[in-house]
Amino acid sequence: MKILNLIIFMLFLCSCTKNEQKGNIKTITFSENEKLNINDYISYKFIPLETSNQCFISSIKQVKIIDNNIFINNDGNNLLVFDISGKFITQIGNKGNGPGEYRLISNFHIDKNKGIITIADGGQARIIDYKLENYEHIKTQKIFYFIDCCWLSDGNIAWYFVGGYKTTNENRYFIKITNRDLKELKQLYPIDYDLQYPISAGSHFYTLNKKCYLNLPHIPIIYEVTSSEISPVYQINLGTHKFAPEEWMEREARKNYSAIVNTDYISAQNIKETNDYISIGYCAKGANAYIGFINKKTEQSCRYSLPEFIRQTGLTGTGIIINTFGDYFITTLNSSVLKRNSNSKIPELKSICETINEEDNPIICLIKPNL
């Protein structure tokens, strides 16, 4: 369960929906191909992160690499900045209840044009703006409850709440669109039946080329989100690994979705995308973790159990794909696990193993497939 950083949201009432949205949708099939030696079709870059009392990382929830700086959401507790070599620069804001302080970082956004970095604080239901040039606090705005959010290309914001946002006629929607001043503009993705205790495998949104995509962990559909509509773009096919059918969801998930870990169904999935590739990480048949990649142009793909992927690549201590950077997928390597299993087949990583300690911060790993 730890491998994919699954988080069980113990909420009293959450929700699920039937796939009623219409649009052009492409099936992406991740074929099981453990005979293909993935190490022959993948390249890596590694960034060891400096470790000190000022920048100790418990778990990397999100990471964004912008203008040779690495911004890290440290398990919702603080937002840390490193340079591209991994040297610690500073912490943005502080944990607390005062001006410019936060309780739980759900996401963050960097607007280079306006010179602003915004933290979405899910712990106190507010957003906090800082200057990008020196990270000084600008303002704090109180908002509604949310789980995750994504800034759209037109400056508006898409908000996701697992229990749904109610309208005046008592209908509920997963997504609320607001402008930058938090004025409500639209609600999207109607909820059809209740779901308790859902499981997540990472962020519910990702972006590519300034487009925003919604990635709900319990369904095989990826949606593009704009200020006015939500449209399905991908249908995920994982071969013999299946998502729970609607009948099971309506019968069992209403009572306790987390019971899915006792079935053979996929319990949670997470997609990330570059211009040429799509990656997936998911759990099925309990807490068994898998990882896969597909070439969007040739449709050549591969899918491995995570232990087999680690065996072939030598990426000991690897976790979930958490973002992208150019043509690369970003993951992390646990220093403690890596140090205890330091016989890596990757020369650069073996060299890093010789210098790190088990208590050190994770290592940023950039993965570039070439299928």
Side-chain angles (χ1 to χ4, degrees):
M1 188 72 73
K2 292 182 180 179
I3 295 175
L4 278 183
N5 195 28
L6 296 181
I7 304 170
I8 300 181
F9 293 99
M10 302 302 292
L11 301 175
F12 175 74
L13 182 66
C14 306
S15 303
C16 187
T17 181
K18 298 175 184 177
N19 302 318
E20 294 182 348
Q21 293 77 9
K22 297 180 180 180
N24 295 325
I25 183 167
K26 179 179 181 179
T27 298
I28 50 173
T29 300
F30 292 88
S31 300
E32 188 173 7
N33 194 357
E34 294 196 354
K35 293 182 179 180
L36 176 72
N37 189 341
I38 187 62
N39 211 37
D40 295 334
Y41 299 92
I42 204 166
S43 58
Y44 320 94
K45 291 182 180 180
F46 303 101
I47 307 174
L49 298 174
E50 179 184 343
T51 304
S52 71
N53 291 334
Q54 291 180 301
C55 61
F56 183 76
I57 296 172
S58 55
S59 176
I60 296 180
K61 186 176 180 180
Q62 287 136 357
V63 58
K64 299 178 183 180
I65 302 177
I66 298 176
D67 290 344
N68 288 324
N69 283 337
I70 305 171
F71 298 83
I72 291 176
N73 178 357
N74 177 22
D75 202 26
N77 295 313
N78 50 33
L79 187 59
L80 305 176
V81 188
F82 297 79
D83 69 17
I84 198 64
S85 70
K87 183 178 180 181
F88 177 62
I89 297 176
T90 190
Q91 174 180 308
I92 301 176
N94 293 286
K95 192 165 187 175
N97 301 314
E101 295 180 333
Y102 40 78
R103 297 299 301 173
L104 179 66
I105 301 173
S106 296
N107 210 332
F108 65 96
H109 174 69
I110 297 173
D111 188 328
K112 292 172 57 178
N113 293 330
K114 294 183 178 180
I116 295 175
I117 182 166
T118 302
I119 288 178
D121 178 7
Q124 298 182 105
R126 59 188 190 178
I127 59 174
I128 310 164
D129 290 339
Y130 304 86
K131 293 180 181 178
L132 189 55
E133 61 180 356
N134 55 19
Y135 309 123
E136 290 182 358
H137 175 235
I138 301 173
K139 66 177 180 179
T140 299
Q141 294 173 275
K142 187 70 178 177
I143 57 174
F144 38 80
Y145 288 110
F146 67 96
I147 294 295
D148 207 346
C149 58
C150 185
W151 277 254
L152 307 178
S153 60
D154 58 7
N156 294 331
I157 308 172
W159 303 90
Y160 167 75
F161 184 53
V162 71
Y165 296 106
K166 285 187 177 181
T167 61
T168 54
N169 60 7
E170 295 300 309
N171 292 330
R172 288 177 296 158
Y173 294 80
F174 272 131
I175 305 296
K176 177 187 287 190
I177 305 295
T178 71
N179 63 14
R180 188 59 179 82
D181 295 324
L182 304 179
K183 179 182 177 180
E184 184 177 320
L185 303 177
K186 198 173 183 65
Q187 292 184 334
L188 303 169
Y189 208 139
I191 296 170
D192 292 324
Y193 57 85
D194 296 330
L195 170 69
Q196 293 192 48
Y197 313 127
I199 298 173
S200 177
S203 297
H204 297 82
F205 294 100
Y206 71 87
T207 58
L208 176 66
N209 298 326
K210 298 184 178 180
K211 293 182 178 181
C212 169
Y213 297 90
L214 176 66
N215 179 198
L216 297 183
H218 58 277
I219 62 173
I221 308 292
I222 307 301
Y223 296 91
E224 182 182 351
V225 180
T226 70
S227 292
S228 59
E229 63 182 0
I230 181 168
S231 305
V233 290
Y234 296 127
Q235 169 102 29
I236 301 168
N237 179 5
L238 292 166
T240 57
H241 293 159
K242 304 293 184 183
F243 288 85
E246 187 173 308
E247 296 76 21
W248 187 94
M249 298 289 288
E250 291 185 344
R251 184 183 68 250
E252 302 293 339
R254 289 174 182 267
K255 297 179 290 185
N256 182 8
Y257 178 79
S258 62
I260 198 169
V261 299
N262 299 318
T263 73
D264 287 340
Y265 296 129
I266 295 166
S267 56
Q269 58 82 15
N270 192 264
I271 289 285
K272 292 294 181 283
E273 183 177 3
T274 67
N275 286 328
D276 296 323
Y277 286 88
I278 296 174
S279 74
I280 189 167
Y282 68 98
C283 277
K285 298 184 177 182
N288 294 302
Y290 298 83
I291 188 170
F293 299 92
I294 184 170
N295 185 314
K296 289 157 56 175
K297 297 176 181 177
T298 67
E299 299 187 352
Q300 184 173 351
S301 67
C302 59
R303 174 166 54 93
Y304 302 86
S305 66
L306 194 57
E308 178 63 17
F309 179 79
I310 291 172
R311 188 191 70 79
Q312 289 198 20
T313 61
L315 294 176
T316 305
T318 191
I320 187 174
I321 301 290
I322 49 180
N323 207 346
T324 60
F325 174 57
D327 295 330
Y328 288 87
F329 293 96
I330 306 175
T331 186
T332 61
L333 304 180
N334 182 290
S335 293
S336 177
V337 176
L338 190 61
K339 186 68 175 180
R340 285 185 275 111
N341 300 273
S342 58
N343 190 25
S344 175
K345 59 182 70 176
I346 305 172
E348 184 181 355
L349 191 56
K350 190 171 184 178
S351 176
I352 291 172
C353 288
E354 294 173 355
T355 61
I356 63 172
N357 298 310
E358 288 190 24
E359 300 78 16
D360 282 353
N361 278 334
I363 296 163
I364 298 292
C365 175
L366 305 179
I367 298 176
K368 185 178 180 181
N370 185 28
L371 296 174

